[in-house]
Amino acid sequence: MAASDQRDVTPTEPCSFSFPAQTLSLTGAQTTQLLVEPPWRPAVLWDPVTLTCQGSGTDDATTWYKDGQLWGQERHDHFTVTESGTYECNRLSTGRSPPVRVLNARLVLQVPARELLEGDTVTLRCRGRENMSVTGVRFYHGDKEVGRSLNGTELSLSPLQLHHSGRYSCGGWVDSKVAPWALSAPVTVTVHELFTVPVLEGPTEPNVGSPLNLSCLSTPSTLRPQAPLLHMFHHDRQVVGGPQGSPQLVVPAVGVSHSGNYSCEVRSKVGEVRKSSAWLHVMVRMPVANATITPGPLAHQVHIGDPVTLRCSVQVGSAPVTFTWLHNRQEVAQGPLLELGAVDVGHSGTYQCVATNQLDGHRVFRALSPELVLSVTLRGHWAVAAGLSGSLLFLLLAVIGGWHQWHHRALRKQQER
């Protein structure tokens, strides 16, 4: 504000303008309520203001208070205000009501006298005493200016959001020859949640083929419990359900493709209030299948002394997966790797692995790999033996051939003689 602005403010305590118009409190317990007509708070003395006390018990059991002091002994449940001040009423069965202020200031900012919820449309109005004209109106939320108008005197908040809660005031030029600039007393605007932020609940590790039921849980305000709400469901940011009135998403039988991140959104049919849940990660559990051993192929030939390591893996199967190794159908090891090291002839034979996992904490699934036939041979020994046998045979044939030729020559010489 400029230093020349003069503030004509009636000394008051900031008051909240979110009193319920019903006779039931938020917790369901019956309380005493003080209703004001016309339904604006704070009320102004230049309006014909009527206060009505509501609560259990008979009307003649009403006691009134003004500015914290017992005010007369009127036993009626309502009366028309003729003096500014802070009013309360008391009923024997339900106690004292929240206060209602009636002001006679030069400038007053008024808020509708009802509960304010997200999505509502609400208008704040800045009024001069005795309905004097007000120009150059400025509206403030705390210390921040949030609107101004040369001739208008109203500020619309639509749709209401939680951040609209706080203390509001207005300033303006009032049609008066003395101290024409005035600033209203602050009033407190309280915006209640229409519904809570939703929470998505459901099984996070369903088994393949089983149903998936997700619930989008949000609690509506007790001030408006019948407010119509719509629900929408997302899977990895793609819409998979809604908008719908039901808070349930049902998948009859899940598969691997149903794994991922899910969230839900709740929104009001009126007022465009939207709230989203946190992500819920769902992992569909699969039985183990298609166990294989690497390296392949099914018949594998190695030599004595070669290092051999076999690995078992599965194509599908939810963790944790355990592995068991069989050599000639006898269990020999556990784990995904079978390290034989430098093999010898005793490692020859058939190898298989058995993959196992457990679903639901009790159902066990197994997958048996095809057999791997491992053949361990002597490196080069058979080749040397084969070469040696060939040389001896050649030598023997050569000897036999030579002897045959010598014998043939000897016979010819003998015949010639």
Side-chain angles (χ1 to χ4, degrees):
M1 294 294 173
S4 59
D5 293 346
Q6 298 185 26
R7 302 187 179 187
D8 181 9
V9 181
T10 301
T12 62
E13 291 294 328
C15 55
S16 172
F17 299 99
S18 57
F19 303 113
Q22 303 175 348
T23 58
L24 295 181
S25 71
L26 301 184
T27 60
Q30 201 167 31
T31 60
T32 303
Q33 302 297 331
L34 183 54
L35 307 184
V36 60
E37 185 63 38
W40 292 87
R41 297 181 185 272
V44 292
L45 191 60
W46 57 87
D47 285 340
V49 177
T50 300
L51 299 181
T52 302
C53 189
Q54 287 189 350
S56 63
T58 58
D59 294 344
D60 59 2
T62 303
T63 304
W64 291 92
Y65 295 85
K66 179 177 181 292
D67 298 328
Q69 302 297 320
L70 187 65
W71 186 64
Q73 295 296 327
E74 293 192 34
R75 296 184 177 273
H76 299 293
D77 67 336
H78 67 280
F79 74 98
T80 300
V81 178
T82 58
E83 300 177 11
S84 60
T86 301
Y87 292 86
E88 300 167 277
C89 69
N90 185 78
R91 302 291 283 267
L92 292 178
S93 298
T94 52
R96 188 176 295 194
S97 71
V100 170
R101 296 194 61 80
V102 180
L103 302 183
N104 193 29
R106 293 180 57 243
L107 195 66
V108 176
L109 180 65
Q110 289 185 308
V111 181
R114 58 181 173 84
E115 294 290 357
L116 304 178
L117 281 84
E118 293 175 293
D120 289 351
T121 297
V122 65
T123 299
L124 282 61
R125 62 183 188 180
C126 192
R127 301 180 63 191
R129 180 190 293 156
E130 303 292 343
N131 292 323
M132 291 183 179
S133 63
V134 183
T135 58
V137 174
R138 300 179 182 181
F139 292 92
Y140 303 92
H141 183 191
D143 296 329
K144 180 181 179 181
E145 182 178 318
V146 292
R148 64 169 63 188
S149 175
L150 292 177
N151 298 311
T153 58
E154 295 183 345
L155 175 67
S156 177
L157 302 177
S158 175
L160 274 179
Q161 301 179 45
L162 294 179
H163 67 78
H164 286 128
S165 295
R167 290 158 56 89
Y168 288 79
S169 59
C170 70
W173 301 95
V174 183
D175 186 11
S176 174
K177 295 181 180 180
V178 180
W181 174 266
L183 183 67
S184 74
V187 296
T188 300
V189 173
T190 301
V191 181
H192 299 277
E193 279 192 313
L194 183 62
F195 52 86
T196 60
V197 175
V199 176
L200 186 61
E201 292 187 352
T204 58
E205 294 186 346
N207 296 329
V208 63
S210 65
L212 175 65
N213 192 341
L214 300 180
S215 300
C216 190
L217 305 179
S218 178
T219 304
S221 171
T222 56
L223 301 174
R224 203 170 298 168
Q226 302 302 321
L229 302 178
L230 295 175
H231 305 80
M232 185 174 292
F233 295 86
H234 297 82
H235 175 212
D236 291 337
R237 304 188 184 279
Q238 299 295 320
V239 177
V240 292
Q244 61 192 43
S246 171
Q248 306 292 326
L249 174 68
V250 178
V251 180
V254 295
V256 178
S257 63
H258 291 105
S259 295
N261 294 312
Y262 288 81
S263 70
C264 70
E265 177 187 86
V266 180
R267 70 186 190 192
S268 61
K269 285 187 176 180
V270 180
E272 293 300 318
V273 181
R274 298 170 178 260
K275 297 181 182 181
S276 296
S277 71
W279 290 101
L280 177 69
H281 183 69
V282 175
M283 177 61 69
V284 178
R285 293 185 58 79
M286 298 286 294
V288 290
N290 299 334
T292 57
I293 299 176
T294 53
L298 295 182
H300 195 72
Q301 186 172 2
V302 295
H303 300 99
I304 290 178
D306 287 347
V308 174
T309 298
L310 302 180
R311 177 185 295 272
C312 186
S313 60
V314 292
Q315 185 177 7
V316 294
S318 299
V321 178
T322 60
F323 299 92
T324 302
W325 288 92
L326 305 178
H327 179 210
N328 296 331
R329 302 188 180 278
Q330 299 296 318
E331 182 177 332
V332 292
Q334 299 282 339
L337 293 180
L338 177 61
E339 297 182 353
L340 300 179
V343 296
D344 56 31
V345 176
H347 288 106
S348 296
T350 60
Y351 288 84
Q352 283 182 290
C353 72
V354 181
T356 306
N357 71 346
Q358 191 173 19
L359 305 184
D360 293 333
H362 57 87
R363 290 194 298 168
V364 177
F365 296 87
R366 293 181 175 85
L368 181 63
S369 74
E371 289 185 344
L372 172 68
V373 179
L374 188 66
S375 178
V376 182
T377 62
L378 299 174
R379 184 187 301 273
H381 284 67
W382 292 110
V384 173
L388 180 59
S389 299
S391 299
L392 291 174
L393 178 60
F394 176 78
L395 181 60
L396 179 60
L397 291 175
V399 171
I400 294 173
W403 178 84
H404 181 73
Q405 290 181 1
W406 173 83
H407 182 70
H408 181 70
R409 289 194 189 100
L411 287 176
R412 287 180 64 185
K413 288 181 180 182
Q414 186 177 2
Q415 290 176 355
E416 288 177 354
R417 291 190 186 103

